[in-house]
Every structure is written in structure tokens, then in C-alpha cells.
Amino acid sequence: MDFRQKLKTDLIYWDGATGTMLQKMGLLPGELPETWNVKHPDRVTQIHREYFEAGSHIVCTNTFGASSLKYEAREAEKLIAAGIDCAKRARDQAVGGQSDRYISFDIGPLGKMLQPMGDLPFERAVELFAGMVKAAEKCGADLIDIETMNDSLETKAALIAAKEFSALPVIVSNVYDDAARLMTGADPETMTAILEGMGADAIGMNCSLGPRQMLEIVPRFVKCSSTPLIFKPNAGMPRSVNGRTVFDVDADGFAEIAARAVEAGVRIVGGCCGTTPEFIRKIVERTRGITPVCAEPKNLTVVSSGVRSLSIGSRPVLIGERLNPTGKKKLKEALRAGDMQFILSEAISQQEQGAEVLDVNVGLPELCEREVLTKCVTEIQAVCDLPLQIDTSDPEAMEAALRAYNGKAMINSVNGKSESMQAVFPLVKKYGGVVVCLTLDENGIPETAEGRFAIAEKIVKTAETYGIGLKELIFDPLALTVSTDPSAAKTTLDAIELIKTRLGGKCILGVSNVSFGLPRRDIITSAFFLMAMQRGLDAAIMNPASTEMQKAYHSCLALTERDAGCADYIDFIGNMPQESVPAAEKTAAGEKPQQDGLKGAIIRGLVQEAARLAETELTEKEPLEVINELIVPALDQVGRGFEEKKVFLPQLLMSADAAGAAFEKVKEHLPKKDETGREILLATVKGDIHDIGKNIVRALLENYGYSVIDLGRDVTPEVIACTAAEKNIKLVGLSALMTTTVPAMADTIKLLREKAPNCAIMAGGAVLTQEYADMIGADFYGKTAMDAVRCAGEVFAQ
Amino acid sequence: MNFKLYNFTPDSIEVPLSQVLRYMGCPADAGEEMTSLALRAIGGFKPDYKACCRMAEVVTTDDGAFIGTLFAPGRDIAKNLENCQRAVVFAATVGLDCDRQKTRAAVTSQAMALALDAAGSAAAEALCDRLCQDWKNEFKKIGLFLRPRFSPGYGDMPLDFQKPLLEYLDAGRCIGVTLTNGMLMTPTKTVTAIAGLGGAGCERDGECRGCGKADCIFKLT
């Protein structure tokens, strides 16, 4: 029977451990298991045969780590072909067992962490997995299994490769810990959203947990997933008896729990580390006669990051709108300058203000949207665990960002134009996502609610032809400006109701549009928001910093039975900024107002106090006076204390944080960055992922008024040298923590001398010494961050 | 024990405040402000303590030591394992959340980023201390002593040795520890080490003896 067909109705038995069996046959610790496909094909075949004979429908090939990261590409192909051959021979030789026997091409993790946590680029991971899939395709496997994955992003890379280079069914199983999370943080709901969104044929769990612990997680999948569930636990935890590794659950005990898992909804059952053909035989015996439970289709609209998921529908979702350059001068500047710091802090502050999803739009005509959007999505995900809404009208940029995105994104947007649907729906189908559907088409925006509803209906029908269900769509009936069209708000609200009641669809609005051209926009926008929520609005793209919007939101929840005991409302009021309190008393919790002004606030490291006092100073002093008379002397004082060992590094940094907050205020009154001409380029060199030292130097240099271009960590000599040459940089700072990366620093300096001969180079980092710095040809050596400030002073004084 | 996996709940390992302050570059009496920062850092990430270890016979040579099939290069490790019959090879990690929170803090507060880094280091050390103490107690019963742990990068043991060591433990699969091209581990707050086991002659606590570095601020006395 065709595997997909069988998966629709039957209980399917997978095999048990391969590694455990290989070790029993003599595989040594550290020896690469896949080499046995060629060295000992008879033994590998025997393991597969025993599993088939024990009753496994699926046997997975001994190809877990057969990527070209571990082997030469040709060698990997050879091992894959040999591995599939072993399984085929076993299928032919096996006596007894099931009549339906499938060979699954096994893919495990690459053994390297993906960026941004590690150094393996996402597309390189896809390429490595693709190499494995292509090799397997030639050899005739029946399906592909992606297993033992402990990172959601790597799982996604493998699934993309499997889908792009093969039409075989793909089953995916992840490693959960006893808190039901992947090592990188995803829970079952999150993985279900991601994997179902991308069309995996079965999803579930393997390895790490014993059967009892894994059984506890089964109901969570059953509740959220519409896809057949995999259950492949270890035989308990490994322990040692008389020098031999044994596991603490025996075959009978294992089979008993497996039976309960099947009754609870598991559809593919097998074993991982420590299990043997005996375990499979017992499972088959014990579960014979149990009617498998098929997963009910769940009608859930879910988006996720790589860590958490969000189900849309029970209460309105707040989507932060501030990462969109339209009308935002500072963000525009940051995007043009590649200033990720500003973008990342906007992301974090929106999360802190209560946003549950962040819209990310980087559409500026002079930027390569594809590159910038992908970079922003990746970097925001490194510091913020909220799901993102990828907002672009460029399908190429959309695809690039959706690929690299860790999770199941919201996609903004598609509309009723054929061209738009043709471009966007295939991406939704391939990468998964909940897509915002604008109710406009070739004829523009209909003036009536009925007209907008008709477009929504058309979009639903078209989406269906791509295999995209209503639950993956969220309709935007378009908030238009009420100051130019008095009926604008009413039409939109009526359209929400039609879409909700007649179509059963979900609705979203960019609510702020309603108030263009009016004074105190927040007041009328929040009233409109409240009215829309009353009609059933499911999500709003809004500014989470707006107190008026938050008031409307929290009040609405309390008034519509969605805030038990008004707890959320009371909490909100407790944390609400007190508008009536005079500014002088407004300090952050724990920050005592100081008597000695901005200088004192910086010396004490009081961030919010420093920002507030800087604003006060700026009403009387010129920006440069504030820098030179207050900020710099305060920093000098702290810096001197640090060098005299009276002030500790964290205190120096707290002062830097405070000075940074003050400087942000001053910057608003300063001429644009490049007019100061004091640009410094910083980077941690190739091979080094430590950046804390470089970040400290950056913070201090910025405090002293330098404008810093921070290229990040693990940066190649080429990127550093080319940027320095291109931007005509006078000073480059290089950092390295490990002795192993000092050669990369030497290479960088060599290339800098060639490409940007006029720039000075300072070097620092834990392993560097003056001797090292001299040896590799740096102009300056900085032992501490204060040395870097001094060095910059010398260079720019010349 | 020839191979073993460990999982510790966050509250079963105490991260010593004094160590966090030390890694932050502060003395133990650095004042309320630094103490409060250190405490916030300790509570600022969710540790996911995991470890795996393998024990095997030791054979020392002139330029290194075999621990089972694993060859550890360097005269220093050979010296460290002198008189040891066996050794424990292990990898222990505090998990990824420390790295994640540190990256986030690096956007908003460098002081907090530094404190989180220090708390992560102190947590990793506390985890290793806990493991070694458990082994010490376990082996004492059969008359064996555990030598101080020795890590790649110590003395003349090259950092490149991380790769075979992690492969020997199958640490990628068992506890999710991987290497970058520059031989750095992820999660970054991970320790790999070898600790020898032997009878009489192995009982002395090393505490940094045998290391030639004279100006180390972290030297244990």
C-alpha cells in the first residue's frame, strides 16, 4: 500500500534503535556509524532485517549523519547508497513481519548550530540536507524521516530540502525535554504550527525521554494537531550496570505504555535509544486489536516564532506597527545606515509594551528589500521571541524572509488581484503562514461592506485551489481615513461583521489609518479600535506604546468576559504611566532621583533619570555643551575610577548605559551622523562568536560621541576591509577572544592595509597582548574599553 | 558507569553569588548595586543543565593519553593522568537560554549582558563542581580518587581536541552541544573536561597547580 494511503487509516510500526544495535555489534565510541554501511553491510542489513521480522512497517536507513559536513560529498553519497541498499536487502530477506514494508531515508541533525546562535548559515544547512535528499532520491527510498532534531530552525531547513528535492512523504520528529521543549525552546504547539504549515506528513517526538514522560506530552499534540502523531521514545534513561549501559524500561513495560499512547492518538510507534527488535515485537503484540484514533482536523489559526505559538481567535491580538518606515524618520535613518541596534531596541520595547506579534516592514526604495528584510527578521528573532508579521509587497523579499524565518509567520499581505494571489499563495503553501488578505482587487477598494466581503469570498475560493484553508487567512477590510470620507469607519466595521458571520473568517485592521489628518489621533483611533473589537476584530496592527489604545484594549477584555476577575485590567492600571505626575518625580522603579544633575545620574548609572535630565539640560544648553560639559566629564570620572580599580566593569557599563540614554536625547538635537565625520568601524573577527567585549567598546565610543558602525561577530576579513574602504573609515577596531581566532585578526589587518591603507587599526580582546598586537601589525592595542576611547581620541585629533 | 546522561533541574544547582561577582570583575564586597545586578542576572535566564560522560581505561604516552579509544594530546594531560587507571570524559552545559538572554541584553544594557555572561560561567562551573563532587563520593566508596578536571585549551592541550572529545561522547545528539568552525562550543556556557581516577597518589587536589600561568586572576589558591 502507498505510504500516504496507509497513514490515513492504519497504525504504523517504526523500528527501534540503530545506534544501540550497532554498538552491541562493536561500533566504538566516536566511530562514525554510517561507515558501517560499507565496512559491515551484513551487520547493518541484519539489524534492519530483525526489525522487519519483529513487525516494523518502517525501517530507517543508517544515514543519520551522512551529510557532507561529516564526509566528503562523494563519500556521503556512497554511504547513503550503501545504507539504502542494506535496508532493501533486509526487506527482501526478512521472514514474517508485516506485508507492507517501507524504507525510510533517515536524516538527523547536522551537528552544527545554525546562525544566529551558532555559525552555520541557514541556506548552507538547506544545501547540506538537499545533498542528502538528492543522493537518496536516486536510490529509491519510500519516504524520508527527519528525526532527533532539537532545533526548530534546523528542522525547517531539513524539511525545505526534503520538499524541494523530493516528492516522497516526509515524517518529522523532534527531541523534547521533560519540560516538553526543544533545546532551542519550541513546545509541541509551536512545532505543530511550523510543521503542519509546511505540510509534513506526520509529526511527533523521539529520543531523550522515556516512554512514560513522552506519554505525558501526547495530549498536547492531540489537542492542537491535525497530523498523524509519531511516538518513538528511548527505553528510559541510560545507566550503568557492571560496566554496561542499560536502560531502565524493559520491552514489556515499554509496550504497555506504547499501547496507552496509541489509545491516546499516536499513529506511528517505535523506539529510540536502548530499544531493540524485542521491543518492537512486544509493541506489535500488545497493540494488536487497538483501533487507531485519527487526528480530528483542528480549525486553529496559529502563528509562531521558533519558541512560542499564538492562537488567534479567542481575544484580539496586538501587533506592533513601529517597525515600518512609513512616516518614521528615525527608523528610515536606521535602515539606511544598517543600524540594527535601533531596530532591535524598537522590537524589544514593543514587546515590553505588550505587543504579541511584530510587523516588520523595511520597504525603502533605495534598499535591497530582500537582503534587508531577511537580515532584520533573523536578527530580531535572536533577541525577541514574538512571532513576526513579514510585511512586504515584493514576493522575492517575502520568500527570502519566509525561508529564513524561524517559525510560522504572519504574512502581510495578499489581496484580491489575481497577480497578488498567484505570487503569494504558493509561498504560503510552501513555507506555512497566516496571511493577511486585503479586501481590494484590480478595481480598487470597494466603497461598500458588501463589496469588500465579495473580495474576501473570492480570496477564500482561490486559496482553496492552492490547498490553503480558511484558517490560514485573516481578512483586512481596510480602515480608511474618516476625515476625508465620513462613512469610512462604518463601512469597515460593517465589513468585519459580514466576514465574521457569513464567512466565519478572522479579521485584522491597521487601525491607525482611520485618524489621518485629525488632531489627537490616539483618541479617535482608540475609539475606532474599541468599536472594531466589539464587532469581532481578531487582531490590530497598532502602536503598543499608545496609552489610549491600551486603555481601550484592556477595558474591552474586561467588559467582554475575557479577563477573569479583571486581573489583567488591574495589572494594566497598576503599570500604567501616571500622566498627571510631574516629570521631576517620574523615575524608574528603584531609581532614586538625584540632586547632582545629569553628571551624577551618569556616574550612578541611572538610565531613565539620565535621559530625563538630558532633556531638561537641552532646553538651556546647546547639544555639544551637554556632551562636552556633562556627559564626557562624567564618563571620564567613571573611566578614571575604573582604571584606578575603584569602579568595577559593570559599574562602568551602567554608566555607559545611562550616558547612552542621555546621548540618545542629545542626538535628536545634533546634525546628522555622517556630518560629524567621526565614524569608527568595529567587528569581532572571523571564527569568533564572542562579542561582549566589542559591545562594551561600542557603548563607550558612542557615549563619547563617535558614530560606530558595528559589523557584529564572526565577520570575514573581506567584509571588514571592503566596508572600511567604501566608507572611508579612519579607525577600525577588531576584537578576538580566543587564541584560535588571532590568525583571522592578522588576515583582516593584512587585507585592511591593502584595501584601506589610510585607516588606523586598534586591536583588543581577552587573548591579545601588546606583543601580539604588534606582531600582527595593529596600530594600537587596547587592554580595556577606556584604552579604545583614548585611541579614538588620538586618531581623530590628528 | 561507562556512559551516563544527566539532567538537573534549575533549583538543584546553586549558582554562587560570589562567583558571579568574580566573573563580573568585582570583589565579593562590591556593594549593594553590584550584588543586585548579579542576582538579577542569576534569575535572568532559565538554565537547562545537561551533561553526558563516558568512563574508560587510561593509558598515558609521552605525548598524550588514551582514554578508551579517545586520544587526548599533550604532555600536560599525560602528566595530569599519571597514575590514573581510568578517567571520566564529560561535557556539561547550562543550555541556550543564557546565550539568548545575553544577546537580548546586549541591545538594552551592556551591564546586564556582562552580568548574564558572568552568571552563565558561574552556573557552568557550579554544574561541573556538582558532577565532580558526585563522582568523587561515588568512587571514594571503592577506594578511587578523582583528579581535578582538565579541559581542552588548558596547558598544551589544543582547542581542536574539542571535536574528537565531543564525538567520543556523541554530545551533539545527547545534550545538544555543537562546535563552530572556530572550535567554540554552542551553547557557549558549556564545559568539556577529563578527570582522572586512580588509587593512592591521585588523592591530592590540584587546584591550578601544574599550570604555568602566573598572572591568572582566576587562579584558585
Side-chain angles (χ1 to χ4, degrees), chain A residues 4 6 32 53 69 121 146 157 182 191 212 333 360 370 406 432 531 561 582 734:
Chain A
R4 282 202 174 101
K6 191 167 184 70
L32 297 172
E53 289 178 348
L69 258 188
I146 297 165
L182 267 53
M191 286 317 297
R212 256 178 234 103
E333 275 170 26
V360 183
R370 186 178 196 279
N406 187 0
M531 292 166 83
E561 289 185 277
L734 301 175

Side-chain angles (χ1 to χ4, degrees), chain A residues 348-532:
Chain A
I348 292 174
S349 70
Q350 289 191 90
Q351 178 172 26
E352 283 168 354
Q353 287 153 358
E356 298 164 281
V357 175
L358 300 180
D359 186 85
V360 183
N361 180 318
V362 300
L364 284 178
E366 64 272 38
L367 296 181
C368 170
E369 200 174 344
R370 186 178 196 279
E371 267 171 40
V372 177
L373 186 62
T374 310
K375 182 176 161 66
C376 285
V377 161
T378 307
E379 297 218 8
I380 291 169
Q381 288 206 291
V383 300
C384 170
D385 64 0
L386 293 180
L388 301 182
Q389 174 166 284
I390 292 166
D391 183 356
T392 173
S393 52
D394 173 358
E396 240 187 64
M398 187 182 279
E399 171 151 27
L402 281 174
R403 274 177 91 84
Y405 180 73
N406 187 0
K408 180 185 176 194
M410 266 184 111
I411 302 168
N412 193 2
S413 58
V414 71
N415 60 51
K417 291 179 190 168
S418 307
E419 193 192 359
S420 166
M421 293 192 282
Q422 276 165 18
V424 175
F425 282 146
L427 301 181
V428 179
K429 183 66 188 165
K430 182 172 178 185
Y431 300 106
V434 170
V435 61
V436 176
C437 310
L438 308 182
T439 54
L440 60 89
D441 64 8
E442 287 84 355
N443 301 316
I445 302 172
E447 282 176 13
T448 63
E450 284 287 351
R452 292 183 204 178
F453 171 75
I455 292 177
E457 255 188 330
K458 176 170 83 177
I459 293 174
V460 174
K461 283 198 186 118
T462 313
E464 260 170 27
T465 65
Y466 287 88
I468 299 165
L470 181 64
K471 69 185 173 84
E472 310 296 6
L473 310 178
I474 184 162
F475 299 93
D476 185 343
L478 301 168
L480 300 180
T481 309
V482 75
S483 61
T484 54
D485 173 7
S487 68
K490 187 175 178 302
T491 307
T492 306
L493 295 171
D494 290 345
I496 292 179
E497 199 158 313
L498 290 180
I499 291 165
K500 297 285 296 184
T501 54
R502 285 202 218 154
L503 206 53
K506 303 218 159 39
C507 284
I508 183 170
L509 278 180
V511 280
S512 321
N513 297 345
V514 81
S515 59
F516 271 125
L518 292 173
R520 280 305 301 271
R521 288 183 59 187
D522 54 336
I523 293 178
I524 191 157
T525 303
S526 65
F528 176 64
F529 179 36
L530 193 55
M531 292 166 83

Side-chain angles (χ1 to χ4, degrees), chain A residues 76 79 90 148 173 178-179 201 245 279 312 388 409 454 481 498 520 549 563 674 679 705 709-710 774 784:
Chain A
L79 294 173
T148 320
S173 111
D178 44 14
D201 292 277
T245 304
F279 282 65
I312 302 173
L388 301 182
T481 309
L498 290 180
R520 280 305 301 271
M549 291 292 285
D563 178 10
D674 47 8
E679 278 189 314
I709 301 171
D710 183 352
D774 292 343
T784 69

Side-chain angles (χ1 to χ4, degrees), chain B:
Chain B
M1 175 181 81
N2 62 355
F3 179 78
K4 206 166 172 185
L5 275 172
Y6 297 85
N7 257 319
F8 293 99
T9 56
D11 49 5
S12 62
I13 305 278
E14 194 198 339
V15 183
L17 176 65
S18 61
Q19 294 304 301
V20 181
L21 286 167
R22 190 166 75 105
Y23 287 119
M24 279 163 61
C26 301
D29 58 354
E32 197 187 321
E33 203 176 29
M34 292 298 102
T35 306
S36 141
L37 179 65
L39 286 172
R40 272 186 288 138
I42 293 172
F45 70 98
K46 277 191 218 113
D48 179 12
Y49 296 115
K50 283 194 170 80
C52 59
C53 71
R54 189 180 285 285
M55 194 177 68
E57 309 289 315
V58 167
V59 179
T60 54
T61 67
D62 286 347
D63 56 354
F66 281 95
I67 303 110
T69 53
L70 177 71
F71 180 70
R75 284 164 195 272
D76 291 332
I77 184 68
K79 193 160 172 254
N80 184 284
L81 295 180
E82 233 168 45
N83 302 324
C84 294
Q85 290 96 51
R86 279 180 273 176
V88 182
V89 182
F90 72 93
T93 182
V94 306
L96 277 173
D97 197 48
C98 182
D99 291 335
R100 201 179 284 125
Q101 298 306 331
K102 211 169 69 183
T103 313
R104 185 175 163 107
V107 178
T108 52
S109 162
Q110 299 308 326
M112 191 58 183
L114 177 79
L116 279 164
D117 189 72
S121 298
E125 286 298 319
L127 171 63
C128 292
D129 289 346
R130 163 69 186 270
L131 287 165
C132 289
Q133 192 57 49
D134 285 358
W135 294 327
K136 220 174 223 179
N137 298 342
E138 188 183 330
F139 291 114
K140 209 172 179 178
K141 290 179 210 153
I142 51 168
L144 289 178
F145 298 96
L146 188 76
R147 300 273 301 120
R149 56 182 184 264
F150 195 97
S151 292
Y154 283 16
D156 64 352
M157 191 195 265
L159 207 55
D160 290 4
F161 176 57
Q162 295 286 24
K163 194 165 187 283
L165 189 156
L166 291 172
E167 277 168 6
Y168 181 71
L169 293 171
D170 200 6
R173 185 178 166 124
C174 294
I175 59 169
V177 172
T178 62
L179 277 179
T180 67
N181 293 334
M183 291 295 141
L184 306 178
M185 290 184 284
T186 52
T188 59
K189 297 305 171 190
T190 300
V191 175
T192 54
I194 297 169
L197 272 169
C202 290
E203 72 272 37
R204 68 203 156 90
D205 273 338
E207 288 186 348
C208 298
R209 261 174 293 196
C211 171
K213 194 165 164 59
D215 59 346
C216 175
I217 54 166
F218 297 116
K219 197 161 184 125
L220 297 168
T221 49

